[in-house]
Coordinates of all heavy atoms in Angstrom, one line a residue:
I225 N 5.8 15.0 -8.3 CA 5.9 13.9 -7.3 C 7.3 13.2 -7.4 O 7.8 12.8 -6.5 CB 4.8 12.7 -7.6 CG1 3.4 13.4 -7.3 CG2 5.1 11.6 -6.8 CD1 2.3 12.4 -7.5
K226 N 7.9 13.3 -8.7 CA 9.2 12.6 -8.8 C 10.3 13.2 -8.0 O 11.4 12.6 -7.7 CB 9.6 12.6 -10.2 CG 10.0 13.9 -10.9 CD 10.3 13.7 -12.3 CE 10.6 15.1 -12.9 NZ 11.0 15.1 -14.3
D227 N 10.1 14.5 -7.5 CA 11.1 15.2 -6.7 C 11.0 14.9 -5.2 O 11.8 15.3 -4.4 CB 11.1 16.7 -7.0 CG 11.6 17.1 -8.4 OD1 12.3 16.2 -8.9 OD2 11.1 18.1 -8.8
L228 N 10.0 14.1 -4.8 CA 9.7 13.9 -3.4 C 10.4 12.6 -3.0 O 10.7 11.7 -3.8 CB 8.2 13.8 -3.2 CG 7.3 15.0 -3.4 CD1 5.8 14.7 -3.3 CD2 7.7 16.1 -2.4
P229 N 10.7 12.6 -1.7 CA 11.4 11.3 -1.3 C 10.5 10.2 -1.6 O 9.3 10.2 -1.5 CB 11.6 11.5 0.2 CG 11.5 13.0 0.5 CD 10.6 13.5 -0.7
A230 N 11.1 9.0 -1.9 CA 10.2 7.8 -2.1 C 10.8 6.6 -1.6 O 12.1 6.6 -1.4 CB 10.0 7.7 -3.7
I231 N 10.0 5.6 -1.4 CA 10.5 4.3 -0.9 C 9.6 3.2 -1.6 O 8.4 3.3 -1.7 CB 10.5 4.2 0.6 CG1 11.1 2.8 1.0 CG2 9.0 4.2 1.1 CD1 11.3 2.7 2.5
D232 N 10.3 2.2 -2.1 CA 9.6 1.1 -2.8 C 9.7 -0.1 -1.8 O 10.8 -0.5 -1.4 CB 10.2 0.7 -4.1 CG 10.0 1.7 -5.2 OD1 8.9 2.4 -5.1 OD2 10.9 1.9 -6.0
V233 N 8.5 -0.6 -1.5 CA 8.4 -1.6 -0.6 C 7.5 -2.8 -1.1 O 6.4 -2.4 -1.7 CB 8.0 -1.3 0.8 CG1 9.1 -0.5 1.5 CG2 6.7 -0.6 0.9
P234 N 7.8 -4.0 -1.0 CA 7.0 -5.1 -1.5 C 5.9 -5.4 -0.5 O 6.2 -5.7 0.7 CB 7.9 -6.3 -1.8 CG 9.0 -6.0 -0.8 CD 9.2 -4.6 -0.6
V235 N 4.7 -5.3 -0.9 CA 3.6 -5.8 0.0 C 2.9 -6.9 -0.8 O 2.4 -6.8 -1.9 CB 2.5 -4.7 0.1 CG1 1.3 -5.1 1.0 CG2 3.2 -3.4 0.8
A236 N 3.0 -8.1 -0.2 CA 2.5 -9.3 -0.8 C 1.0 -9.5 -0.8 O 0.4 -9.3 0.3 CB 3.2 -10.5 -0.2
F237 N 0.4 -9.9 -1.9 CA -1.0 -10.1 -2.1 C -1.1 -11.6 -2.6 O -0.2 -12.1 -3.1 CB -1.6 -9.2 -3.1 CG -1.9 -7.8 -2.5 CD1 -0.9 -6.8 -2.6 CD2 -3.1 -7.5 -2.1 CE1 -1.1 -5.5 -2.1 CE2 -3.5 -6.2 -1.6 CZ -2.4 -5.2 -1.6
E238 N -2.4 -12.1 -2.4 CA -2.7 -13.4 -3.0 C -2.7 -13.1 -4.5 O -2.9 -12.1 -5.0 CB -4.0 -13.9 -2.5 CG -4.1 -14.1 -1.0 CD -3.3 -15.2 -0.6 OE1 -2.8 -16.1 -1.3 OE2 -2.8 -15.1 0.6
A239 N -2.3 -14.2 -5.3 CA -2.2 -14.1 -6.7 C -3.4 -13.7 -7.4 O -4.5 -14.2 -7.0 CB -1.7 -15.5 -7.2
N240 N -3.4 -12.7 -8.2 CA -4.5 -12.2 -8.9 C -5.7 -11.8 -8.1 O -6.9 -12.0 -8.4 CB -4.9 -13.4 -10.0 CG -5.8 -12.9 -11.1 OD1 -5.6 -11.7 -11.5 ND2 -6.7 -13.7 -11.6
A241 N -5.4 -11.2 -7.0 CA -6.5 -10.8 -6.1 C -6.1 -9.5 -5.3 O -4.9 -9.1 -5.3 CB -6.7 -11.9 -5.1
D242 N -7.0 -8.9 -4.6 CA -6.8 -7.8 -3.8 C -6.7 -8.2 -2.3 O -7.0 -7.4 -1.4 CB -7.8 -6.6 -4.1 CG -9.2 -7.1 -3.8 OD1 -9.5 -8.2 -3.7 OD2 -10.0 -6.1 -3.6
T243 N -6.4 -9.4 -2.1 CA -6.4 -10.0 -0.8 C -5.0 -10.0 -0.2 O -4.1 -10.6 -0.9 CB -7.0 -11.4 -0.6 OG1 -8.3 -11.3 -1.2 CG2 -7.0 -12.0 0.8
L244 N -4.6 -9.4 0.8 CA -3.3 -9.4 1.5 C -2.9 -10.8 1.8 O -3.8 -11.6 2.4 CB -3.2 -8.5 2.6 CG -3.1 -7.0 2.3 CD1 -3.4 -6.2 3.7 CD2 -1.8 -6.6 1.8
S245 N -1.7 -11.2 1.6 CA -1.2 -12.5 2.1 C -0.9 -12.2 3.7 O -0.8 -11.1 4.1 CB 0.1 -12.9 1.4 OG 1.1 -11.9 1.7
A246 N -0.5 -13.3 4.4 CA -0.2 -13.2 5.7 C 1.1 -12.3 5.8 O 1.1 -11.5 6.8 CB 0.0 -14.5 6.3
E247 N 2.0 -12.5 5.0 CA 3.2 -11.7 4.9 C 2.9 -10.1 4.7 O 3.5 -9.4 5.3 CB 4.2 -12.1 3.9 CG 4.7 -13.5 4.1 CD 3.8 -14.7 3.6 OE1 2.9 -14.4 2.8 OE2 4.1 -15.9 3.9
G248 N 2.0 -9.9 3.8 CA 1.6 -8.5 3.5 C 1.0 -7.9 4.7 O 1.3 -6.8 5.1
K249 N 0.2 -8.7 5.5 CA -0.4 -8.1 6.7 C 0.6 -7.8 7.7 O 0.7 -6.7 8.4 CB -1.4 -9.1 7.3 CG -2.7 -9.1 6.4 CD -3.8 -10.2 7.0 CE -4.9 -10.2 6.1 NZ -5.9 -11.2 6.6
T250 N 1.6 -8.7 7.9 CA 2.6 -8.5 8.8 C 3.4 -7.4 8.6 O 3.8 -6.5 9.4 CB 3.5 -9.8 9.0 OG1 2.8 -10.9 9.4 CG2 4.6 -9.6 9.9
F251 N 3.9 -7.2 7.3 CA 4.7 -6.0 6.8 C 3.9 -4.7 7.0 O 4.4 -3.8 7.6 CB 5.0 -6.2 5.3 CG 5.8 -5.0 4.8 CD1 7.1 -4.8 5.1 CD2 5.1 -4.1 4.1 CE1 7.8 -3.8 4.7 CE2 5.8 -2.9 3.6 CZ 7.0 -2.7 4.0
L252 N 2.6 -4.7 6.7 CA 1.9 -3.4 6.8 C 1.8 -3.1 8.4 O 1.8 -1.8 8.7 CB 0.6 -3.6 6.2 CG 0.6 -3.4 4.7 CD1 -0.8 -3.6 4.2 CD2 1.2 -2.2 4.2
A253 N 1.7 -4.1 9.2 CA 1.6 -3.8 10.7 C 3.0 -3.1 11.1 O 3.0 -2.1 11.8 CB 1.4 -5.0 11.5
T254 N 4.1 -3.5 10.7 CA 5.4 -2.9 10.9 C 5.5 -1.6 10.3 O 6.0 -0.6 10.9 CB 6.5 -3.9 10.5 OG1 6.3 -5.1 11.0 CG2 7.8 -3.3 10.8
L255 N 5.1 -1.5 9.0 CA 5.1 -0.2 8.3 C 4.2 0.8 9.0 O 4.6 2.0 9.3 CB 4.7 -0.3 6.9 CG 4.7 1.0 6.2 CD1 6.0 1.6 6.0 CD2 4.0 0.8 4.8
G256 N 3.0 0.4 9.5 CA 2.2 1.3 10.3 C 2.8 1.9 11.6 O 2.5 3.0 11.8
E257 N 3.5 1.0 12.2 CA 4.1 1.4 13.5 C 5.1 2.5 13.1 O 5.3 3.5 13.8 CB 4.8 0.2 14.1 CG 3.8 -0.7 14.8 CD 4.5 -1.9 15.3 OE1 5.6 -1.9 15.8 OE2 3.7 -3.0 15.6
A258 N 5.9 2.2 12.1 CA 6.9 3.3 11.7 C 6.2 4.6 11.3 O 6.7 5.7 11.6 CB 7.7 2.8 10.5
L259 N 5.1 4.5 10.5 CA 4.4 5.8 10.1 C 3.8 6.5 11.2 O 3.7 7.7 11.2 CB 3.3 5.3 9.1 CG 3.8 4.7 7.8 CD1 2.6 4.4 6.9 CD2 4.7 5.6 7.0
N260 N 3.5 5.8 12.3 CA 3.0 6.5 13.5 C 4.0 7.0 14.4 O 3.8 7.6 15.4 CB 2.1 5.5 14.3 CG 0.7 5.4 13.8 OD1 0.2 6.2 13.1 ND2 0.0 4.2 13.8
N261 N 5.4 6.8 14.1 CA 6.4 7.4 14.8 C 6.3 8.9 14.9 O 5.9 9.5 13.8 CB 7.7 7.1 14.2 CG 8.9 7.5 14.9 OD1 9.1 8.8 15.0 ND2 9.7 6.7 15.4
P262 N 6.4 9.5 16.1 CA 6.3 11.0 16.1 C 7.1 11.8 15.0 O 6.6 12.9 14.6 CB 6.9 11.3 17.5 CG 6.5 10.1 18.3 CD 6.8 8.9 17.3
A263 N 8.2 11.2 14.6 CA 9.0 12.0 13.6 C 8.3 12.0 12.3 O 8.5 12.9 11.5 CB 10.4 11.3 13.4
L264 N 7.3 11.1 12.0 CA 6.6 11.1 10.7 C 5.2 11.4 10.8 O 4.4 11.4 9.8 CB 6.7 9.6 10.1 CG 8.1 9.2 9.8 CD1 8.1 7.8 9.3 CD2 8.7 10.0 8.6
R265 N 4.7 11.8 12.0 CA 3.2 12.0 12.3 C 2.7 13.0 11.3 O 1.5 13.0 11.0 CB 3.0 12.3 13.7 CG 3.0 11.2 14.6 CD 1.9 11.3 15.7 NE 1.9 10.1 16.4 CZ 1.0 9.2 16.4 NH1 -0.1 9.4 15.6 NH2 1.0 8.2 17.0
N266 N 3.4 14.0 10.9 CA 2.9 15.1 10.0 C 3.1 14.8 8.5 O 2.7 15.7 7.6 CB 3.5 16.4 10.4 CG 3.0 16.9 11.8 OD1 1.9 16.7 12.2 ND2 3.8 17.5 12.5
A267 N 3.8 13.7 8.3 CA 4.0 13.4 6.8 C 2.8 12.8 6.1 O 1.9 12.2 6.7 CB 5.2 12.5 6.8
K268 N 2.7 13.1 4.8 CA 1.7 12.5 4.1 C 2.2 11.5 3.1 O 3.5 11.7 2.7 CB 0.9 13.5 3.3 CG 0.1 14.5 4.1 CD -0.9 15.3 3.4 CE -1.6 16.2 4.3 NZ -2.8 15.6 4.7
F269 N 1.6 10.5 2.6 CA 2.1 9.4 1.8 C 1.2 9.1 0.6 O 0.0 9.2 0.7 CB 2.3 8.1 2.6 CG 3.2 8.3 3.8 CD1 2.7 8.8 5.0 CD2 4.5 8.1 3.6 CE1 3.5 9.0 6.1 CE2 5.4 8.4 4.7 CZ 5.0 8.8 5.9
L270 N 1.8 8.7 -0.5 CA 1.0 8.4 -1.6 C 1.4 6.9 -1.8 O 2.5 6.4 -1.9 CB 1.6 9.1 -2.8 CG 1.0 8.7 -4.2 CD1 -0.4 9.0 -4.3 CD2 1.8 9.4 -5.4
I271 N 0.3 6.1 -2.0 CA 0.3 4.7 -2.2 C 0.3 4.3 -3.7 O -0.8 4.7 -4.2 CB -0.7 3.9 -1.4 CG1 -0.5 4.2 0.1 CG2 -0.6 2.4 -1.7 CD1 -1.7 3.6 0.9
G272 N 1.2 3.8 -4.3 CA 1.2 3.3 -5.6 C 1.4 1.9 -5.7 O 2.2 1.4 -5.1
V273 N 0.6 1.2 -6.6 CA 0.6 -0.2 -6.6 C 0.8 -0.7 -8.0 O 0.3 -0.1 -9.0 CB -0.6 -0.9 -5.9 CG1 -0.6 -2.3 -6.1 CG2 -0.9 -0.4 -4.5
F274 N 1.5 -1.7 -8.2 CA 1.8 -2.3 -9.5 C 1.4 -3.8 -9.5 O 1.5 -4.4 -8.4 CB 3.2 -2.3 -9.9 CG 3.7 -0.8 -10.1 CD1 4.2 -0.1 -9.0 CD2 3.4 0.0 -11.2 CE1 4.7 1.2 -9.1 CE2 3.8 1.3 -11.3 CZ 4.5 1.9 -10.2
T275 N 1.0 -4.3 -10.6 CA 0.7 -5.7 -10.7 C 1.7 -6.3 -11.7 O 2.6 -5.6 -12.1 CB -0.7 -6.0 -11.3 OG1 -0.7 -5.4 -12.7 CG2 -1.8 -5.4 -10.4
D276 N 1.7 -7.7 -11.8 CA 2.6 -8.3 -12.8 C 1.9 -8.0 -14.2 O 1.0 -7.4 -14.4 CB 2.7 -9.7 -12.6 CG 1.5 -10.5 -12.6 OD1 0.5 -10.2 -13.2 OD2 1.4 -11.6 -11.9
A277 N 2.6 -8.5 -15.3 CA 2.3 -8.3 -16.6 C 1.2 -9.1 -17.1 O 0.7 -8.9 -18.3 CB 3.5 -8.4 -17.5
R278 N 0.7 -10.1 -16.3 CA -0.5 -10.9 -16.8 C -1.7 -10.1 -16.7 O -2.0 -9.3 -15.9 CB -0.6 -12.1 -15.9 CG 0.7 -13.1 -16.1 CD 0.6 -14.3 -15.1 NE 0.9 -13.8 -13.8 CZ 1.2 -14.5 -12.8 NH1 1.0 -15.7 -12.9 NH2 1.6 -14.0 -11.6
G279 N -2.6 -10.5 -17.7 CA -3.9 -9.8 -17.6 C -3.9 -8.5 -18.5 O -2.8 -8.1 -18.9
S280 N -5.0 -8.1 -18.9 CA -5.1 -6.8 -19.7 C -4.6 -5.6 -18.9 O -4.7 -5.6 -17.7 CB -6.5 -6.7 -20.2 OG -7.4 -6.3 -19.2
N281 N -4.4 -4.6 -19.6 CA -4.1 -3.3 -19.0 C -5.2 -2.7 -18.2 O -5.0 -2.3 -17.0 CB -3.6 -2.2 -19.9 CG -2.2 -2.4 -20.6 OD1 -1.4 -3.2 -20.0 ND2 -2.0 -1.8 -21.7
D282 N -6.4 -2.9 -18.7 CA -7.6 -2.4 -17.9 C -7.8 -3.2 -16.6 O -8.1 -2.6 -15.5 CB -8.8 -2.5 -18.7 CG -8.9 -1.5 -19.9 OD1 -8.2 -0.5 -19.9 OD2 -9.6 -1.7 -20.9
Y283 N -7.7 -4.5 -16.7 CA -7.8 -5.3 -15.5 C -6.7 -5.0 -14.5 O -7.1 -4.9 -13.3 CB -7.7 -6.8 -15.9 CG -7.7 -7.8 -14.7 CD1 -9.0 -8.1 -14.1 CD2 -6.6 -8.3 -14.2 CE1 -9.0 -9.0 -13.0 CE2 -6.6 -9.2 -13.1 CZ -7.8 -9.4 -12.5 OH -7.8 -10.3 -11.4
N284 N -5.5 -4.9 -14.9 CA -4.4 -4.6 -14.0 C -4.6 -3.2 -13.4 O -4.2 -3.1 -12.2 CB -3.1 -4.8 -14.7 CG -2.7 -6.3 -14.9 OD1 -3.2 -7.1 -14.2 ND2 -1.9 -6.5 -15.9
H285 N -5.1 -2.3 -14.1 CA -5.4 -1.0 -13.6 C -6.3 -1.0 -12.4 O -6.1 -0.4 -11.4 CB -5.8 0.0 -14.6 CG -6.0 1.4 -14.1 ND1 -5.0 2.3 -13.8 CD2 -7.1 2.1 -13.9 CE1 -5.6 3.4 -13.3 NE2 -6.9 3.3 -13.4
V286 N -7.4 -1.7 -12.6 CA -8.5 -1.9 -11.5 C -7.9 -2.6 -10.5 O -8.1 -2.3 -9.2 CB -9.7 -2.7 -12.1 CG1 -10.7 -3.0 -11.0 CG2 -10.4 -1.7 -13.2
L287 N -7.1 -3.8 -10.7 CA -6.6 -4.6 -9.6 C -5.6 -3.6 -8.8 O -5.6 -3.7 -7.5 CB -5.9 -5.8 -10.1 CG -5.3 -6.7 -9.0 CD1 -6.2 -7.2 -8.0 CD2 -4.6 -7.9 -9.8
S288 N -4.8 -2.9 -9.4 CA -3.8 -2.0 -8.7 C -4.6 -0.9 -7.8 O -4.2 -0.7 -6.6 CB -3.0 -1.1 -9.8 OG -2.1 -2.0 -10.4
D289 N -5.7 -0.3 -8.3 CA -6.5 0.6 -7.5 C -7.1 -0.2 -6.2 O -7.1 0.3 -5.2 CB -7.6 1.2 -8.3 CG -7.2 2.2 -9.4 OD1 -5.9 2.6 -9.3 OD2 -7.9 2.5 -10.3
L290 N -7.6 -1.4 -6.5 CA -8.1 -2.2 -5.3 C -7.0 -2.4 -4.3 O -7.2 -2.3 -3.2 CB -8.8 -3.4 -5.9 CG -10.0 -3.3 -6.7 CD1 -10.4 -4.6 -7.3 CD2 -11.2 -2.7 -5.8
R291 N -5.9 -2.9 -4.9 CA -4.9 -3.2 -3.9 C -4.4 -2.0 -3.1 O -4.1 -2.0 -1.9 CB -3.7 -3.8 -4.6 CG -3.9 -5.2 -5.1 CD -2.8 -5.8 -5.8 NE -2.9 -7.2 -6.0 CZ -2.1 -8.0 -6.7 NH1 -0.9 -7.5 -7.1 NH2 -2.4 -9.3 -6.8
A292 N -4.3 -0.8 -3.8 CA -3.9 0.5 -3.0 C -4.9 0.8 -1.9 O -4.6 1.1 -0.9 CB -3.8 1.6 -4.1
K293 N -6.2 0.6 -2.3 CA -7.3 0.9 -1.2 C -7.1 -0.1 0.0 O -7.2 0.3 1.1 CB -8.6 0.8 -1.8 CG -9.7 1.0 -0.8 CD -11.1 1.0 -1.5 CE -12.2 1.3 -0.6 NZ -12.0 1.1 0.9
V294 N -6.9 -1.4 -0.3 CA -6.6 -2.4 0.7 C -5.5 -2.0 1.6 O -5.6 -2.1 2.8 CB -6.4 -3.8 0.1 CG1 -5.9 -4.8 1.1 CG2 -7.7 -4.3 -0.5
I295 N -4.4 -1.5 1.0 CA -3.2 -1.1 1.8 C -3.6 0.1 2.8 O -3.4 0.1 3.8 CB -2.0 -0.7 0.9 CG1 -1.5 -2.0 0.2 CG2 -0.9 0.0 1.7 CD1 -0.5 -1.8 -0.8
G296 N -4.2 1.1 2.2 CA -4.7 2.2 3.0 C -5.6 1.9 4.0 O -5.4 2.3 5.2
D297 N -6.6 1.0 3.7 CA -7.5 0.6 4.7 C -6.8 -0.3 5.8 O -7.2 -0.1 7.1 CB -8.6 -0.3 4.1 CG -9.6 0.5 3.3 OD1 -9.6 1.8 3.2 OD2 -10.3 -0.1 2.5
Q298 N -5.9 -1.1 5.5 CA -5.2 -1.9 6.4 C -4.4 -1.0 7.4 O -4.3 -1.2 8.6 CB -4.3 -3.0 5.8 CG -3.6 -4.0 6.8 CD -4.5 -4.9 7.4 OE1 -5.6 -5.2 7.0 NE2 -4.1 -5.4 8.6
L299 N -3.6 -0.1 6.8 CA -2.9 0.9 7.6 C -3.7 1.7 8.5 O -3.4 1.8 9.8 CB -2.1 1.8 6.7 CG -0.8 1.2 6.0 CD1 -0.3 2.2 5.1 CD2 0.2 0.6 7.0
A300 N -4.9 2.1 8.2 CA -5.8 2.9 9.0 C -6.4 1.9 10.0 O -6.4 2.3 11.3 CB -6.9 3.5 8.2
A301 N -7.0 0.8 9.7 CA -7.8 0.0 10.6 C -6.8 -0.8 11.4 O -7.0 -1.1 12.7 CB -8.7 -1.0 9.8
G302 N -5.8 -1.4 10.9 CA -4.8 -2.3 11.6 C -3.9 -1.6 12.6 O -3.8 -2.1 13.7
V303 N -3.5 -0.4 12.3 CA -2.6 0.2 13.3 C -2.9 1.8 13.5 O -2.1 2.4 14.1 CB -1.1 0.0 12.9 CG1 -0.6 -1.3 12.9 CG2 -0.9 0.6 11.5
G304 N -4.0 2.2 13.0 CA -4.4 3.6 13.3 C -3.6 4.6 12.6 O -3.7 5.8 13.0
V305 N -3.1 4.4 11.4 CA -2.6 5.5 10.7 C -3.7 6.3 10.2 O -4.7 5.8 9.6 CB -1.7 5.0 9.5 CG1 -1.3 6.1 8.6 CG2 -0.6 4.1 10.0
D306 N -3.7 7.6 10.3 CA -4.7 8.6 9.9 C -4.9 8.5 8.4 O -4.0 8.6 7.6 CB -4.4 10.0 10.3 CG -5.4 11.0 9.8 OD1 -6.4 10.7 9.1 OD2 -5.2 12.2 10.2
P307 N -6.1 8.0 7.9 CA -6.3 7.9 6.5 C -6.1 9.1 5.7 O -5.8 9.1 4.5 CB -7.8 7.5 6.3 CG -8.3 7.0 7.7 CD -7.3 7.8 8.7
G308 N -6.2 10.3 6.3 CA -5.9 11.6 5.6 C -4.4 11.8 5.3 O -4.0 12.7 4.5
R309 N -3.6 10.9 5.8 CA -2.2 11.1 5.5 C -1.9 10.3 4.2 O -0.9 10.5 3.7 CB -1.4 10.4 6.6 CG -1.4 11.3 7.9 CD -0.8 10.7 9.1 NE 0.6 10.6 8.7 CZ 1.5 9.8 9.3 NH1 1.0 8.9 10.2 NH2 2.7 9.7 9.0

């Protein structure tokens, strides 16, 4: 994976939660429009999420997984990005 093109973008969530902030929802709407661009329609993406250092490693791992799912769901439901991508 490290040899593939990558982009790091901040997606804001409510503190200590898997709930997108208003800014996070707005950003994902814009990102989704870009991902639906014909030039990217056949591209696949990997969503990786990090939390801050507060909380245990186990808790933060679960929260990261939940946040990644929320991002994928929002891109699919919000702007129609194919979940298989």
Side-chain angles (χ1 to χ4, degrees):
I225 295 178
K226 68 180 181 178
D227 293 335
L228 296 176
I231 184 171
D232 291 327
V233 293
V235 178
F237 283 84
E238 299 296 333
N240 200 31
D242 64 343
T243 304
L244 285 165
S245 68
E247 295 85 11
K249 289 178 184 177
T250 299
F251 175 78
L252 288 178
T254 302
L255 177 62
E257 289 177 22
L259 296 179
N260 280 331
N261 181 293
L264 295 176
R265 282 218 177 251
N266 294 323
K268 292 191 180 273
F269 300 89
L270 174 67
I271 299 170
V273 180
F274 300 94
T275 63
D276 59 28
R278 292 176 281 186
S280 70
N281 286 340
D282 289 339
Y283 175 81
N284 286 334
H285 181 73
V286 170
L287 183 56
S288 292
D289 288 347
L290 290 170
R291 286 178 171 183
K293 182 177 180 341
V294 167
I295 290 171
D297 290 348
Q298 182 70 23
L299 288 171
V303 290
V305 175
D306 180 354
R309 293 179 55 206

